[in-house]
Amino acid sequence: PAIDLPVQTFLPDDYVPDIETRLDLYQRLTKVAKLEEIPDMEKELQDRFGKLPQSVKNLLYAVRIKVLATPAGIESVTHEPGYVIVTLFEGLRLDPKKLEPFMKYGIQLGANYLKINTRRRLGSEWQSLLEEIIKRVG
């Protein structure tokens, strides 16, 4: 799935100074296929480069979302001002009953997409909501 979240997701030059090492880490992150691999990557990054900057925490979160979205039939998780949009592959449909508990958060449902209003979810609460919704969709 394509993942484009409203947070910065990158390895800063001053965190991983060597370009080849950064590229290698990005390649490894794109190959993560199981949730269990993410804490190992996080630990390795901390051991090698020190405390994780927010952009690296966000990058690991984006990898987590991608891993969760893959088996759920999600084509993309993107954003537009004030919203995160989850879109299923063509031909797949959302089950409104599965998502009913999340309606109180102002979720907007279409046939094969949903929108999360990030303005209603202060701070990073929308991130845990997104994760729970993706688990429900799958």
Side-chain angles (χ1 to χ4, degrees):
I3 308 295
D4 180 24
L5 299 171
V7 292
Q8 293 186 333
T9 56
F10 66 98
L11 298 166
D13 297 356
D14 60 347
Y15 185 66
V16 182
D18 181 65
I19 184 91
E20 288 183 30
T21 304
R22 269 197 320 277
L23 291 174
D24 176 60
L25 288 168
Y26 280 125
Q27 286 179 332
R28 289 179 52 208
L29 286 166
T30 62
K31 293 177 183 174
V32 170
K34 296 180 182 174
L35 290 176
E36 299 80 29
E37 297 173 57
I38 297 170
D40 294 339
M41 285 292 299
E42 181 176 353
K43 183 172 179 359
E44 178 185 341
L45 288 167
Q46 284 179 336
D47 289 348
R48 291 176 68 185
F49 307 105
K51 184 180 176 190
L52 301 178
Q54 188 61 49
S55 63
V56 177
K57 291 177 185 177
N58 293 342
L59 179 61
L60 293 169
Y61 172 77
V63 170
R64 182 175 180 76
I65 292 301
K66 185 175 183 174
V67 170
L68 289 170
T70 300
I74 293 172
E75 180 178 26
S76 65
V77 179
T78 58
H79 76 281
E80 60 185 39
Y83 293 94
V84 171
I85 301 127
V86 176
T87 306
L88 299 181
F89 281 103
E90 192 172 325
L92 298 179
R93 298 284 176 247
L94 290 168
D95 181 351
K97 288 182 183 178
K98 283 185 178 181
L99 298 171
E100 197 170 302
F102 302 104
M103 297 310 287
K104 65 184 173 190
Y105 298 112
I107 304 302
Q108 298 175 23
L109 289 179
N112 74 327
Y113 74 91
L114 63 85
K115 285 185 171 186
I116 300 169
N117 184 333
T118 58
R119 291 183 184 130
R120 286 189 64 178
R121 306 297 300 166
L122 300 176
S124 63
E125 289 181 31
W126 65 266
Q127 292 175 319
S128 57
L129 180 61
L130 173 62
E131 208 170 312
E132 289 305 312
I133 287 172
I134 290 174
K135 288 175 185 175
R136 235 0 126 91
V137 167

